[in-house]
Amino acid sequence: MYLPELHSPVHRFAHRTLDFRRQVALMAIINRTPDSFYDGGATFSLQAAVGASMRAVQDGADWLDIGGVPFSPGPALSWEEEAERVVPVIEAVRRRSDVIISADTFLPDVAAAAIAAGADVINDTTGLSHPELGRVVADAGVHLVLTHSLAAPRTTYPRPQYDDVVTDVADYLRRKAELARGLGIGADKLIIDPGHDLNKNTLHTLEITARFQEIAALGFPALAAVSNKDFIGETLNLPKHERVAGSLAAATMCIMNGARIVRMHNIPEANSAVRLLEAAMGWREPAYLKHNMGEANEPAHPLTAGKGTGGC
């Protein structure tokens, strides 16, 4: 496993601290949109969004990423309407949990409203397309996720071209980190995301996944948002709801190459994968130790073999 040398290994949020030398944060996706990429609007209602948020926390999520507008091309949404979608969810979750909360937005006014409601992080998938957002983040002292993308917000970018996609993305993120630092955001408040599938084709995204170490080497905690994306569907010829195994494989590959946050839909399955990797690295203890720990293993029952009984 690649262990990146981080500018600031320990990141302190309002209610939790993450030591990225010894843990991987699991980020759950909560979309309060009627046209979300994965669930098609299943969590658009306030009750559904809050319920999904709390289930994700119960299932092991360290972090909730709450968004009101998809990345995909479409009509602009006013900042007031976007805030009306995300702020009530943030407020409701914050009353119930100390989980890390990010607001997925590129608009400064939405960011300010989300922070006032209790968000710890602004997740900007447009790489500070509005520099004023950086000032909002800096003034509030919260975290910022800088993501690589090429298109103007909510617009198409046909046939993206790169000289070397990983080198180009790394250079972009380096420049954006310098911009953020210039706006007053500390290195201990920055997270980077190469933007799997965002203005990239499947071959580009597979290359980023294979060479994720070059992104992590920039020295900021690196986020891998791979869950159920088109590159998995095109690679495996699978529809969205059959991409869990591929998503876990991609997330594992990124973690082994230095990712310290993974953004996922299927939280119970992702939690198992992440925690096993942490245990294999010696960062956490197994839930229990029984197999080959005594004079003999217990006989395996046919219905329970392999479930903590010592069976093979």
Side-chain angles (χ1 to χ4, degrees), residues 6-21 23 63 100 121 142-144 186-192 219-222 260-261:
L6 299 175
H7 300 302
S8 297
V10 178
H11 282 238
R12 293 177 175 83
F13 302 83
H15 304 278
R16 292 191 183 184
T17 296
L18 296 177
D19 184 348
F20 289 114
R21 294 167 299 190
Q23 63 190 119
W63 188 320
I100 297 167
V121 186
V142 298
H143 276 68
L144 175 66
D188 61 335
K189 299 293 184 183
L190 285 178
I191 293 161
I192 55 173
F220 302 98
R260 288 297 171 265
I261 306 159

Side-chain angles (χ1 to χ4, degrees), residues 271-291:
N271 186 55
S272 293
V274 168
R275 306 317 167 201
L276 189 142
L277 284 166
E278 289 178 332
M281 288 301 297
W283 297 346
R284 68 165 52 235
E285 294 297 322
Y288 65 88
L289 293 173
K290 187 173 183 180
H291 181 71

Side-chain angles (χ1 to χ4, degrees), residues 201-225:
N201 64 32
T202 288
L203 296 177
H204 294 146
T205 300
L206 288 171
E207 187 76 6
I208 288 170
T209 304
R211 294 167 56 191
F212 200 93
Q213 178 173 334
E214 294 171 54
I215 304 299
L218 293 174
F220 302 98
L223 187 158

